[in-house]
Amino acid sequence: MVSRSYSNLLELASGESPSFGRMSRRIPRIMTVAGIISDLDDDPSESVCSDPSSSSVLKDRIIIVANQLPIRAQRKSDGSKSWIFTWDENSLLLQLKDGLGDDEIEVIYVGCLREEIHPSEQDEVSQILLETFKCVPTFLPPDLFSRFYHGFCKQQLWPLFHYMLPLSPDLGGRFNRSLWQAYVSANKIFADRIMEVINPEDDFVWVHDYHLMVLPTFLRKRFNRVKLGFFLHSPFPSSEIYKTLPIREELLRALLNSDLIGFHTFDYARHFLSCCSRMLGLTYESKRGYIGLEYCGRTVSIKILPVGIHMGQLQSVLRLPETEAKVVELIKQFDDQGRTMLLGVDDMDIFKGISLKLLAMEQLLVQHPEWRGKVVLVQIANPARGKGKDVKEVQAETYSTVKRINETFGKPGYDPVILIDAPLKFYEKVAYYVVAECCLVTAVRDGMNLIPYEYIISRQGNEQLDKVLRLEPSILKKSMLVISEFIGCSPSLSGAIRVNPWNIDAVADAMDCALEMAEPEKQLRHDKHYKYVSTHDVGYWARSFLQDLERTCRDHSRRRCWGIGFGLSFRVVALDPNFRKLSMEHIVSAYKRNTTRAILLDYDGTLMPQASIDKSPSHKSIDILNGLCTDKNNMVFLVSARSRKTLTEWFSQCEKLGLAAEHGYFLRLTRDAEWETCVPVTDTAWKQIAEPVMQLYTETTDGSTIEDKETALVWCYEDADPDFGSCQAKELLDHLESVLANEPVTVKSGQNTVEVKPQGVSKGLVAKRLLSSMQERGISPDFVLCIGDDRSDEDMFEVITSSMAGPSIAPRAEVFACTVGRKPSKAKYYLDDTAEIVRLMQGLASVSEQTVTV
């Protein structure tokens, strides 16, 4: 079966509709029924056969999506022009599958081949890869692939994510709209291929790396409940760097269409969360060890876990005769000549810091002449993955630096630096790991870098290699690492010597320290690293990610979902089935039916937008409130955190409006009535303790202010830096709770505020007071409307809801507790914003005015 192509997504996202006719070719559906592959109809509602009674073996199925498939392809040499396909054993995606285990989960891969396949061969290749390898190839036209991969990915995203700003045309690529559109187009084609094989109700989708950052939007738009994880293998830059990207919000919103987003380190996750806070206004919290972002009613989980290596594969390579032979060769070349090997293994690109490592080696030989003739740095330079001027510059600098060092410090039979820039087989690299006394990684920025992990396991070796190395069985293994503090694996290797690669002297000193360190210390550090690396392998990483993805998606089926927004601003709103939007027709009908009405309204954020600078009510708002109050069947209360002086001034024209000030501490039934208190009058001597503390935080937090009310003190940081303000608010909350522990007050955090107020004061008191005053007059409301926008209003919702079963409300009363915005709430209804609230109140006021006129 094949899902219907969703061809109009690209038009929404980029405004253009390239014609890739051959991309819509269908491939057979991989069924959950063991051994069956079928081509049937293309009705999306029947896109997957999932009848458990017809399945001989039921497994969880995961679709792994990445830029490249874990497949090697080459032409047959017999002249038939057909292809030979084999697994790429070095691919992380294949190692991930081995780590999960074939018996537990079925894996399907979606991605590109490294080799270009002619359009006339694509159908045949697709069939072979699907049936033999369960791989779904994505074929991108050469021009599109070049603009997508070499253009946007490598010239714009890659440098920026590695902290390189395009300050000039030579320093990373300036933003190019056509390359961005190619990126979106390529992601759309990936989405089309996934849609052809996905069972959206059962399958998990795991998308990998920065090449496919907008893919989650395409999938979420087609399948609102798709179970979708994303893992970023590169660094995520700080918000100061990231916000220079013209399409910054589009990428953030696309990633947030995932259910789970994974990062190698807390730093990368922290930067992402900071960007979401500063650019989208989202907040996050940690619950029982899990970090979650609330986004349109969905919880997007954040996973922090560095990837591991494939232990089984590396240990099998260590057992190869070829590896042993290479180790023997290297021992003769170095150990038998009385020379110690330092090893570097890096890609030839600008971020790997090869030249900085070479300069440190040069400095080592200058500062410590005793190492001349005894220490050799072997630098293995893997071919660069990208293209361009910067790669050529790195190569030229590397060659010239190696030449200078060897000419200065070399002698017949001894070169201080050996540069290997020809491709090496993996067993050859492993042999270098086995022999090297110390491994150096001086990258200036790297997402993870598994070279240190491979080095540690290789140094652990096996019995056969121990004999070759002339090691006694009782001797503990040892290894030394000098690693950059700017790479992803650094936090997990606490026994390594961490360095700032830009500090050449410090790196040289670290190299000397690694060479001079006592053997027992080297052994202890190695043992610590080995225990971590051997237990946190690629299988552990993959299983942990999928467990969290399953946990995050557990309640998908219990939520009501629908999509809003266009193009890459698309997002899915997920709400509790009982939480729904308040219908104008429904509430107006109930309003007309009932004749004893109680209306409770919050002010800031409900009738007045939070973003407004002038918070005083408009003439329109006054007219609406008066329209409601003139109806003798209504009792209307405005409940606010503001002082009674402010409310008196603002609503002096509303004769019959009830007011509650300072969260309900003060209450007035009408304009001409006296203010009364809902709780006993308290002493405010505690202000002398709290105010100096708040003043201290105000002085140290630019943009924060203090509001001194009659019975409360409020510290507001709405205009402060969001991250710093939030951090200071948490500190202030703890500080105030400590110094006010023996005072009759409570300290609460609100939306950009920290407030100290008398104990027992809440907006819920106002709701109780309103209902009890009506009850005292022998009135039981049969219509109750309560609207608010923040935490303080939840107390009103709770009182209103719980009163439905009591005597204060008519037995068949219609009760509407409504919050502003789609978010977790005790209210059962919501409206999107203050504009909708005002329209609703205007509609109800119009009904009342018509009734009065009649």
Side-chain angles (χ1 to χ4, degrees), residues 43 78 81 103 126 128 186 214 240 347 588 702 790 821 834 850:
D43 182 352
D78 59 4
K81 292 188 177 181
D103 296 336
S126 293
I128 293 171
V214 300
E240 293 302 306
D347 292 346
V588 167
D702 189 38
D790 65 12
T834 55
Q850 291 169 13

Side-chain angles (χ1 to χ4, degrees), residues 24-79:
S24 64
R25 288 192 180 120
R26 300 172 184 169
I27 63 172
R29 158 71 68 178
I30 299 179
M31 306 298 293
T32 53
V33 181
I36 299 178
I37 298 177
S38 172
D39 263 319
L40 296 175
D41 60 79
D42 62 349
D43 182 352
S45 66
E46 298 179 356
S47 59
V48 175
C49 173
S50 56
D51 178 9
S53 63
S54 63
S55 178
S56 57
V57 178
L58 282 175
K59 296 186 194 177
D60 286 334
R61 193 172 75 158
I62 180 170
I63 299 174
I64 295 177
V65 192
N67 178 47
Q68 286 189 344
L69 290 171
I71 294 289
R72 297 186 185 276
Q74 63 182 54
R75 290 281 189 186
K76 286 185 179 178
S77 57
D78 59 4

Side-chain angles (χ1 to χ4, degrees), residues 470-519:
R470 308 177 193 115
L471 295 177
E472 295 294 329
S474 59
I475 295 179
L476 297 175
K477 304 299 172 64
K478 62 178 181 176
S479 63
M480 279 306 301
L481 286 167
V482 175
I483 60 174
S484 164
E485 60 194 37
F486 301 119
I487 63 176
C489 66
S490 175
S492 60
L493 297 173
S494 56
I497 302 175
R498 299 192 184 103
V499 294
N500 172 5
W502 300 100
N503 189 338
I504 304 301
D505 290 335
V507 178
D509 289 343
M511 294 163 70
D512 179 61
C513 177
L515 291 167
E516 294 280 10
M517 189 173 289
E519 296 293 300

Side-chain angles (χ1 to χ4, degrees), residues 327 331 335 434-435 459 464-471:
V327 168
I331 289 173
D335 290 21
V434 171
V435 178
R459 289 288 288 179
Q464 190 59 36
L465 288 174
D466 288 349
K467 294 177 182 177
V468 173
L469 294 167
R470 308 177 193 115
L471 295 177

Side-chain angles (χ1 to χ4, degrees), residues 743-795:
E743 301 295 328
V745 294
T746 57
V747 186
K748 289 194 173 183
S749 61
Q751 190 167 1
N752 297 321
T753 63
V754 174
E755 183 172 18
V756 184
K757 61 183 181 181
Q759 287 177 349
V761 175
S762 74
K763 290 185 179 180
L765 289 178
V766 181
K768 288 180 181 177
R769 180 72 176 84
L770 172 61
L771 295 175
S772 63
S773 66
M774 295 180 76
Q775 190 178 9
E776 287 167 7
R777 289 184 289 167
I779 302 171
S780 293
D782 48 18
F783 174 94
V784 181
L785 173 63
C786 181
I787 307 179
D789 75 303
D790 65 12
R791 270 185 223 164
S792 64
D793 300 306
E794 295 294 316
D795 295 326

Side-chain angles (χ1 to χ4, degrees), residues 282-283 294-299 559 562 573-576 578-581 602 604-606 610 751 787-794 797 817-834 837:
L282 302 177
T283 58
E294 288 299 323
Y295 184 59
C296 298
R298 295 171 51 243
T299 298
R559 312 280 281 182
W562 66 92
V573 177
L575 298 175
D576 187 276
N578 297 320
F579 188 55
R580 55 189 182 275
K581 188 166 185 175
D602 174 46
D604 290 285
T606 301
Q610 290 283 7
Q751 190 167 1
I787 307 179
D789 75 303
D790 65 12
R791 270 185 223 164
S792 64
D793 300 306
E794 295 294 316
F797 300 150
C818 178
T819 189
V820 182
R822 302 175 179 91
K823 59 179 181 283
S825 173
K826 292 173 183 173
K828 290 188 176 181
Y829 298 92
Y830 74 90
L831 287 171
D832 287 324
D833 50 33
T834 55
I837 303 289

